Amino acid sequence: MKPEVITGSEILLRSLLLEGVECVFGYPGGAVLYIYDALYGFSDFRHLLTRHEQGAIHAADGYARASGKVGVCIATSGPGATNLVTGIATAYMDSVPLVVITGNVIQSLIGTDAFQEADITGITMPITKHSYLVRDAKELPRIIHEAFHIANSGRKGPVLIDIPKDVSAATTLFEPAKTMNLRGYNPTVAPNRLQLDKVAAAIQEASRPVILAGGGVVYSGGHEELLQFAETTEIPVTTTLLGLGGFPSGNRLWMGMPGMHGTYTANNAIQQSDLLICIGARFDDRVTGKLDGFAPKAKIVHIDIDPAEIGKNIHTDIPVVGDVKTVLEQLNKLVKRADQADSWRDQIQQWKAEKPFKYKDSNDSLKPQWVIEMLNETTHGEAIVTTDVGQHQMWAAQYYKFNQPRSLITSGGLGTMGFGFPSAIGAQMAHPDRLVISINGDGGMQMCSQELAICAINKIPVKIVVINNQVLGMVRQWQELIYDNRYSHIDLSGSPDFVKLAEAYGVKGLRATNKEDAQEVWREALETPGPVLVEFVVDKQENVYPMVPQGSTIDQMLMGDCE
Amino acid sequence: MTTKHAIAILVNDQPGVLQRVSGLFGRRGFNIESITVGQSEEQGLSRMVIVTEGDDQTLEQIEKQLYKLIDVIKVVNLSSKPMVSRELALIKVKAEPAERPEIKSLADTFRAAVVDIGTRNMMIQVVGDTEKVDALLELLKPYGIQELSRTGVTAMTRGNAL
Ligand SMILES: Cc1ncc(C[n+]2csc(CCOP(=O)(O)OP(=O)(O)O)c2C)c(N)n1
């Protein structure tokens, strides 16, 4: 490529191309008009115009989680940028690689409370891995190159690039970046061999070992190594919400998800374990329950790319810093079968048989768990599923059987309502030929439903499921169990007719209120090309069980219908 | 056991880096007793010295969290090594003409300097470790302290310790 004098905006687009960007999600405005001008007629990658910046960033997030590549979104200054905040925090909490591009007012106006000015680098400092305010168009190639590298290496996360309007307008010589200036950034990838020997020795000594695997397994691409590790050692495995799909759910060693709505087996196994091997998970309080009382008898091994996670919540006996895939590759050469754990394995199979997830089915009304089971059966567990946040999210985690990494896309750390539907659009952009199902509550669906428009216009064939229980279900559940049935402000009367709402945007809408119709409309949805919204009207009283009340240890489960 | 620590942080001299570091302390509930920033021996890099209080586990978290910041190049816990730490204070103390010789001799004892004299007050400049500055202040208090400005601690390890 011979050097050329072009605008900052054109440099941005070319630099994005050099990073392999296939599509970006965005929304224009005054401060990014030069960038959008450069995008006019540009077709080297796709730009999808969402209907809200929040839709754009969740879509970029879904794209990143489904593809393992960096998700990119663009917004204007001020209100455009601040509309991204929830999505940036969502990606930060779940370690999702994003490059977020915002416009800003011209540099001479920065700091003057100019029209549509917001200090977005300041606002997002606690929720970004790193950020840049670009001062000179010459710096753009290096900054963009660094941003992609930072976002998608080490512990992944969102990086923000704020570009003042005069920088996107300025012209300069474009020279693609060859160097980076990141002296302070050297993630540890390869583990310390001595630590690995300790892990191998601990496995030989253990009689009740457990593997707790999280999102790090999926993000590092280490799922096959995890399978081999578990098969070699024959240690039972539990996967966190973000780890679902990182280990095949059909495997005999799998115990299900741990924590607040985890399985009886996983929670008891953790509590009684004498060796807990935590791999790419960060001991979130939804997993641990009451911290002092968590895995009280266990020696703790913690494998993580982020040294700051080790010892943050839980005292660690054998810390291993490194990339999960690399660590497991090396560990697999050292470990043997955990020979002392035979009666433990039997115990676990017995718990699994005695206490699976259970609900009381009905022939009069639709049970949400039944709906998820139907989705699982009809798709053979092979769809990419995105969820919103609430009861339906937990039922999806419990009753859909994830067998492949990156097949569940859900907001774990922040628990962001409004995430489910737009993230499915991004996931579908990453995998145009796969079946993408987005499972939402009637509450969360209303937080980003405007993105039905981009599904219709771009013929993005997401199957949108709305589990309609007419309430903010998860809040209702807490009010019932913890707040003495005082149902404060959870009634969603006044929700739109979801079928008509979909149709108003040009998306096919279907509804079912009983089992027969449910099977019928779901079949129709699968057979219909393009996007379809299917509303399942379900029993409003249903609760998610088991449940560990906040402040209890995880073996103190309310078993409800699982009894 | 919570104890005081001085931490030296070598950072890229970028706009916003002080905000990143101090924001991290605030957000994660770490305490900042004093913070100083200035040039380092290398162009483009600044050195911050933060005095904080906490137990060993908190200190370990502080170090690890600081290393997560891309602009942080090196973190050294100075308190774990032999070090020299200094702060500077300017103290404006009430001083009627009759009291001046007394105050001056106090200052001399601490190798502090009188840097200004007004009609009813004197300004004393003292340099030393925190304890020394505290001690001089204690002695000056009875005269009436009108204004006090302390810089916070800057520090370095001795000799070849790094
Ligand atoms: C943006 C946002 N606001 C509020 C909450 C708190 N919250 C968690 S679950 C929930 C109820 C969700 O209701 P719905 O979408 O109908 O799903 P359901 O629980 O009924 O399946 C709420 C309000 C949240 N997680 N995110």
Side-chain angles (χ1 to χ4, degrees), chain A residues 225-420:
Chain A
E225 287 75 10
L226 173 64
L227 182 62
Q228 194 194 330
F229 178 60
E231 296 276 6
T232 309
T233 58
E234 286 186 47
I235 299 177
V237 180
T238 172
T239 44
T240 66
L241 180 65
L242 292 188
L244 288 176
F247 193 79
S249 63
N251 191 291
R252 70 190 189 292
L253 292 166
W254 194 58
M255 300 186 288
M257 179 174 81
M260 183 174 275
H261 295 294
T263 61
Y264 180 88
T265 308
N267 284 347
N268 277 304
I270 289 175
Q271 288 305 87
Q272 297 186 23
S273 64
D274 65 352
L275 176 66
L276 182 64
I277 306 173
C278 177
I279 309 177
R282 61 186 176 89
F283 295 114
D284 180 80
D285 55 280
R286 281 291 192 272
V287 165
T288 61
K290 190 175 162 207
L291 263 185
D292 46 327
F294 175 76
K297 301 167 197 141
K299 181 182 259 189
I300 308 263
V301 174
H302 194 172
I303 301 170
D304 207 295
I305 184 95
D306 180 358
E309 283 305 334
I310 292 175
K312 187 183 82 177
N313 299 338
I314 296 274
H315 172 78
T316 302
D317 300 285
I318 311 178
V320 183
V321 178
D323 168 69
V324 163
K325 183 182 164 92
T326 314
V327 171
L328 288 177
E329 260 167 13
Q330 300 193 11
L331 204 48
N332 281 339
K333 293 183 194 140
L334 304 175
V335 293
K336 296 196 289 272
R337 183 173 187 275
D339 272 334
Q340 301 192 42
D342 282 335
S343 56
W344 177 239
R345 292 183 188 96
D346 295 341
Q347 168 71 80
I348 280 165
Q349 292 309 331
Q350 193 186 333
W351 281 333
K352 272 172 73 170
E354 282 169 7
K355 306 266 182 179
F357 289 130
K358 239 191 272 176
Y359 64 96
K360 290 200 185 74
D361 201 6
S362 154
N363 281 324
D364 308 327
S365 63
L366 266 182
K367 292 287 183 159
Q369 300 93 330
W370 182 90
V371 173
I372 308 284
E373 283 184 322
M374 180 188 74
L375 301 181
N376 182 53
E377 278 158 27
T378 51
T379 60
H380 314 289
E382 275 169 11
I384 296 176
V385 173
T386 80
T387 83
D388 208 69
V389 172
Q391 290 182 313
H392 66 278
Q393 176 188 33
M394 290 299 113
W395 286 316
Q398 293 179 337
Y399 290 92
Y400 198 93
K401 299 300 168 206
F402 299 96
N403 289 312
Q404 302 164 44
R406 304 190 181 280
S407 57
L408 171 63
I409 291 172
T410 193
S411 165
L414 199 66
T416 307
M417 283 173 75
F419 174 82

Side-chain angles (χ1 to χ4, degrees), chain A residues 389-392 415 417 441-444 447 469 471-475 492:
Chain A
V389 172
Q391 290 182 313
H392 66 278
M417 283 173 75
D442 46 331
M447 285 202 180
N469 53 5
V471 285
L472 294 170
M474 190 54 100
V475 180
L492 288 176

Side-chain angles (χ1 to χ4, degrees), chain A residues 53-73:
Chain A
E53 286 87 356
Q54 187 175 359
I57 188 153
H58 290 330
D61 181 318
Y63 172 90
R65 293 192 207 219
S67 66
K69 298 178 196 158
V70 177
V72 183
C73 74

Side-chain angles (χ1 to χ4, degrees), chain A residues 65-116:
Chain A
R65 293 192 207 219
S67 66
K69 298 178 196 158
V70 177
V72 183
C73 74
I74 304 179
T76 190
S77 66
T82 55
N83 269 347
L84 299 174
V85 168
T86 302
I88 297 173
T90 303
Y92 184 72
M93 288 288 271
D94 288 348
S95 310
V96 177
L98 293 186
V99 167
V100 178
I101 294 156
T102 52
N104 209 332
V105 298
I106 58 172
Q107 291 186 71
S108 58
L109 286 180
I110 287 180
T112 66
D113 303 320
F115 178 66
Q116 293 195 330

